[in-house]
Amino acid sequence: MSWPVADLDTVRRLHVLAAAVPGAVVAETRIDAPFVQVRAVAADLQHELPCYLSDVRSFTIARHDEQLVAHVA
């Protein structure tokens, strides 16, 4: 007997993980702006994220070995 296989893209996989982890949340939105503008903001999340999310005072990204770790306050 073989089990069914579900091929999930990275976004669907993120939703599955969030559903399985208590307290985890995934939110999506469509941004009506040119890719170049969105890319510029995304490239500087450490400074831009607190401007867009009022409940985020600071957002830092640090490298630990092979991983990137985000700290939100």
Side-chain angles (χ1 to χ4, degrees):
M1 181 171 141
S2 64
W3 290 92
V5 176
D7 291 325
L8 302 176
D9 62 19
T10 53
V11 174
R12 288 190 185 263
R13 196 172 325 152
L14 181 63
H15 281 277
V16 170
L17 286 171
V21 175
V25 177
V26 175
E28 290 183 67
T29 189
R30 184 170 294 264
I31 300 171
D32 188 22
F35 177 80
V36 174
Q37 286 179 314
V38 175
R39 175 72 170 105
V41 170
D44 191 20
L45 279 182
Q46 292 187 120
H47 295 103
E48 297 288 345
L49 198 61
C51 296
Y52 286 96
L53 300 175
S54 60
D55 56 342
V56 174
R57 282 192 334 253
S58 67
F59 180 76
T60 57
I61 300 171
R63 181 180 298 275
H64 292 286
D65 298 322
E66 295 291 318
Q67 297 181 348
L68 293 177
V69 179
H71 298 278
V72 181

